[in-house]
Amino acid sequence: MKLELGNFHVKDLVFGEKTGFKDGIVTVNKIELSSMLLEDGRLKAVDLDIAKPGEEVRIIPVKDVIEPRVKVSGGTVFPGFLGKPITVGSGRTHVLKGMAVVTCGRIVGFQEGIIDMAGPGAEYTPFSKLFNLVVIAHPRDGLDSHEHEEAVRIAGLKAAAYVAEAVKSLEPEETRAYETKSIAGALSEYPGLPKVAYVYQLQSQGLLHDTYVYGVDAKRIIPTLISPTEVMDGAIVSGNCVSACDKNTTYVHQNNPVIEELYARHGKDINFVGVIITNENVTLADKERSSDYTAKLAEYLGLDGVIITEEGFGNPDTDLIMNCKKIEGKGIKTVLITDEYAGRDGASQSLADADVKADAVVTAGNANEEIVLPPMKKIIGLSDTATIIAGGSQKSLRDDGSIEIELQAITGATSEVGFTRMSATTY
């Protein structure tokens, strides 16, 4: 399975009469895109706006971030949503690099986020460096939360596909190729190197904590193998409302840095064998089943090591530790990537679960750390939601428009797959 990503680097984003891409500038026909999105009868109105890096703009509350991509060959983008659930991960996909579609609007779940395009908040979110086309979707009255979330999720995917269509027939500025071999081929490719796989926990606790694989709610799957190029190609879509700081937005699934790094080191110091996706459950029986199955797949592949990432905190910490203990029990080394909820002073226990087997853990930062976000000249969305989103309080929004809030409210601040601007220094 071989995937070519053809990249078009975006230098600016504007509204205009005809949607297109020329000399690095993306032009979007506002009326055409709005009309297309309003074909979904669950939406009564759609506003579109643009936020550029360095502008004093705040987007709040953010639901999802999506990278515009279009399949040139090998299926359709976001299979299971915008097309038949046919396997992707091969052929050619064109990408608008440096741009994203951000969905916003009336709050669905309290775990939605903030993107500041300038100031100290911008230093914590990787999405402040993108040209963002913001879709502010207004649901019709009486829509329940799940229908509301789905309508906005689909609107974001449609908008991303619509914009990317502009580069479908163009020649990309650069092309990168990624290949996944058969299991037999992968296991025998570099016999002298340790065989490493990635255990990718997908948020699936329900009650708006959902992730989709080829359009299927991940809580309905048992752990399985997936080609890393399928992940890159839109097979996994975010539909969840976990805290904004460690939510794996659809953009993060499309650009998972763990997969990128494993590909980069493949054949050098490791043999990257593949990806095991698993879910995060709410009952002990489901946690036992999924962690047993994940460990079994790791053993079946004859792995020497795995990297495990989680999404969210608290309950998912148990899935993380159960996967770690059972995989280590098979004689396979593990490295965990997570963030911490160690209290505002950093003195509390970081994770809800722990085990001596978890002796190699990478932290993405303390989500409880407080920050003051200064007033912005322009607000896209609803600033008063700062008082009800996770990480905030009724006192968060000050009279001057500044916001005192925890990092967990900033989209992508402590990404548990490492898609973040945080780093560590040794003193």
Side-chain angles (χ1 to χ4, degrees), residues 64-315:
D64 197 12
V65 185
I66 306 147
E67 186 170 67
R69 296 188 174 196
V70 61
K71 291 294 293 178
V72 178
S73 62
T76 60
V77 70
F78 306 124
F81 289 106
L82 304 188
K84 293 181 179 178
I86 295 172
T87 301
V88 291
S90 61
R92 174 178 277 203
T93 301
H94 284 178
V95 185
L96 285 169
K97 297 303 291 185
M99 178 187 168
V101 169
V102 176
T103 51
C104 180
R106 197 184 81 197
I107 200 159
V108 179
F110 64 91
Q111 292 161 314
E112 299 180 17
I114 301 171
I115 296 175
D116 276 0
M117 301 301 292
E123 295 303 313
Y124 284 94
T125 174
F127 306 114
S128 66
K129 307 306 176 188
L130 304 178
F131 291 91
N132 291 316
L133 174 63
V134 187
V135 176
I136 308 106
H138 305 282
R140 65 174 169 78
D141 297 336
L143 212 62
D144 70 31
S145 296
H146 288 86
E147 287 182 299
H148 180 183
E149 186 280 324
E150 183 181 59
V152 177
R153 171 167 28 98
I154 300 297
L157 300 178
K158 284 182 176 177
Y162 165 86
V163 177
E165 192 72 23
V167 295
K168 183 173 183 177
S169 61
L170 303 182
E171 194 60 31
E173 298 163 36
E174 62 171 0
T175 302
R176 295 186 177 184
Y178 301 86
E179 185 174 12
T180 301
K181 298 192 173 180
S182 66
I183 291 178
L187 293 175
S188 62
E189 188 172 18
Y190 295 104
L193 296 179
K195 294 183 284 295
V196 177
Y198 174 30
V199 174
Y200 196 2
Q201 291 187 192
L202 305 177
Q203 176 55 243
S204 55
Q205 294 176 277
L207 299 175
L208 300 173
H209 292 55
D210 306 307
T211 303
Y212 297 89
V213 183
Y214 286 100
V216 174
D217 192 330
K219 73 170 67 65
R220 294 166 52 196
I221 70 167
I222 58 173
T224 189
L225 296 170
I226 190 170
S227 165
T229 56
E230 292 177 81
V231 180
M232 292 175 155
D233 219 10
I236 299 177
V237 166
S238 173
N240 70 66
C241 295
V242 298
S243 285
C245 64
D246 51 25
K247 176 188 301 185
N248 289 336
T249 61
T250 300
Y251 191 104
V252 171
H253 291 302
Q254 295 170 300
N255 294 276
N256 187 309
V258 175
I259 291 175
E260 288 279 358
E261 184 66 14
L262 288 170
Y263 262 126
R265 294 173 63 170
H266 177 60
K268 296 177 182 175
D269 57 354
I270 61 167
N271 181 9
F272 178 30
V273 174
V275 178
I276 300 169
I277 52 171
T278 184
N279 43 23
E280 296 176 345
N281 300 287
V282 293
T283 69
L284 181 58
D286 287 333
K287 289 178 184 295
E288 293 281 11
R289 181 186 302 110
S290 288
S291 54
D292 272 7
Y293 217 100
T294 298
K296 181 177 69 177
L297 285 173
E299 182 181 38
Y300 178 70
L301 292 171
L303 299 176
D304 298 300
V306 300
I307 295 172
I308 312 173
T309 64
E310 69 169 328
E311 183 176 8
F313 69 100
N315 198 315

